Amino acid sequence: MLALLMLRSPLSLAAALLAAACGGAPAAPPTPAPTTAAAPAKATPPPVLQDPIIVIGAGAAGLAAAVEAAGAGARVVLIDRSTVFGGHAVVADGGVAMVGTPVQQAVRLTDTPALAAEDLLAWGQDADEAWVRRYASRSRPDVYDWLTAMGVEFTGVTQMPGNRVARYHRTREGGLGLVAPMYRNALALGVELRFSEDVNDLIIDEGRVVGVRTRGIRDGRDRMRRATAVILATGGFESDLERVRQNWPRGVTPPDRVLTGSGRNSRGDGIDLARQARAGLHRMDHQWNIATGLPDPRTPDGERGLEAVVPRSIWLNRLGRRFVDENAGVRVTYPAVLHQPGGYFLAIVDADGARALTIAAPDWGDAGRIDREVLQNSLLVARGNDLRALARAAGIPSARLRRAVAVLTASSSARRC
């Protein structure tokens, strides 16, 4: 299976405050008319409408920023080129790593900010220590309490590689279950939503961003929107494979073929806007890459991919050699895959393993669909009635395949005991 590139951006919270809107001065008292009847008082002019805070991007970060700003009293306009909210978060699994939550306590897990910070700093690559410690200490009130107050439901916790306790919180309905409550709260707070609108330029006056220029995707209309402040909550570039290669993580060579599983609008336009304002770009090579990628059978261009989760499998390179501990975690498996000839591998599964295979996307929850479109797809899966036929279909030596199947059989037997 080919290496699949897929960004899982952490939830980003942003707060913004707005000064009180200017009100019109009341009219002076009217001069009495030369009649006995008093002249009607002039109406007080309506208050001058303050320029809004503009948030660019309606994914998890943009929705969070809009909710915080509107909740603090700001007038907020949220702009996104898509026709719907959610960005990449909608197609992600929606999990959030948090510390010391009621969900952990309900299953008798003891977790502390100090323990979490140690895990994150030990497992993280070039982690920012100050940010890690702040997140570990504040994730309960600033993330868990904030999200659950809006209606996000967490159904359990999973222990991920590098963590000594389970702290990866699963959401009901995946990514949609994370962003939909934020969207509903944004509507309730009066956030003005502008979908199908592209932000082409920032308006910069004396070094300060004071607005944006946009174009309607449907009507083609150009607009100039003034702003008290502009929050740039977009910038993913993983659907622009040229940018991906330009910013490939140092120390590893990209494979001949790279797939993208990111949102279709993640093409780096937010980075281009940031450059207009002379923003500093930091850690552009810190990409989140997934080793277990499959070409998406729905896209004939061959650039889109799906993240396959294959918990019961043996990985062989194209020479038929097992090259890694499949359960070691992505920090180990990802570079191991990149070092294989051609940058791909074969995942050998038995019937139990095939049933356990899942696709990490909300629209792939149907096992029947996975069977029809993936397992029965001869372009993705090689099958054989016996080991010799399977080795021939996979193009690997049958003796090596026999050894791998023996390991898989022993592992399956151990699980049943």
Side-chain angles (χ1 to χ4, degrees), residues 19-320:
C22 300
T31 303
T35 62
T36 56
K42 294 182 180 178
T44 301
V48 176
L49 191 63
Q50 183 82 8
D51 287 335
I53 289 175
I54 290 178
V55 180
I56 304 173
L63 288 168
V67 167
E68 286 289 277
R75 177 176 165 239
V76 180
V77 176
L78 181 60
I79 303 175
D80 197 290
R81 66 158 47 137
S82 181
T83 58
V84 295
F85 68 91
H88 176 67
V90 167
V91 298
D93 63 12
V96 184
M98 296 175 288
V99 182
T101 69
V103 179
Q104 290 176 304
Q105 294 161 9
V107 292
R108 301 180 184 276
L109 284 176
T110 300
D111 197 9
T112 67
L115 181 66
E118 287 179 9
D119 287 350
L120 293 171
L121 290 171
W123 185 255
Q125 296 169 301
D126 191 25
D128 184 318
E129 183 173 352
W131 186 92
V132 165
R133 294 194 182 281
R134 176 174 174 80
Y135 185 84
S137 64
R138 298 295 304 173
S139 63
R140 163 67 192 272
D142 291 353
V143 184
Y144 179 86
D145 292 348
W146 188 82
L147 288 170
T148 54
M150 285 191 291
V152 175
E153 295 182 59
F154 293 101
T155 59
V157 287
T158 300
Q159 186 170 351
M160 303 296 281
N163 292 267
R164 284 173 283 180
V165 299
R167 57 175 66 101
Y168 186 77
H169 290 61
R170 303 186 303 274
T171 52
R172 191 178 301 282
E173 298 183 329
L176 180 62
L178 181 70
V179 294
M182 284 195 271
Y183 175 70
R184 289 193 292 267
N185 276 265
L187 291 177
L189 289 166
V191 173
E192 181 182 342
L193 302 168
R194 293 291 178 178
F195 291 121
S196 298
E197 193 165 328
D198 245 339
V199 177
N200 298 319
D201 292 293
L202 301 177
I203 301 171
I204 301 174
D205 184 10
E206 297 183 352
R208 181 175 177 271
V209 178
V210 297
V212 298
R213 291 186 178 88
T214 70
R215 172 168 292 178
I217 293 175
R218 291 180 173 177
D219 59 15
R221 180 182 171 189
D222 292 324
R223 298 171 175 86
M224 185 175 72
R225 299 186 180 277
R226 305 287 295 188
T228 299
V230 174
I231 298 175
L232 194 56
T234 182
F237 59 88
E238 293 71 32
S239 284
D240 183 340
L241 294 179
E242 182 178 351
R243 290 189 198 241
V244 168
R245 291 183 178 276
Q246 290 172 354
N247 296 282
W248 194 259
R250 287 169 289 182
V252 290
T253 303
D256 297 336
R257 185 182 180 193
V258 179
L259 303 175
T260 176
S262 185
R264 290 185 177 274
N265 290 322
S266 298
R267 304 194 63 82
D269 301 294
I271 292 172
D272 294 338
L273 291 173
R275 283 196 172 107
Q276 289 184 22
R278 298 184 178 180
L281 300 177
H282 185 48
R283 298 184 173 187
M284 292 285 287
D285 67 329
H286 283 47
Q287 302 175 20
W288 181 251
N289 298 324
I290 304 297
T292 54
L294 285 171
D296 190 330
R298 302 167 297 181
T299 55
D301 61 10
E303 290 191 349
R304 303 295 302 177
L306 299 171
E307 180 188 357
V309 181
V310 197
R312 302 176 185 177
S313 61
I314 298 296
W315 296 6
L316 306 180
N317 63 19
R318 69 180 184 183
L319 302 177

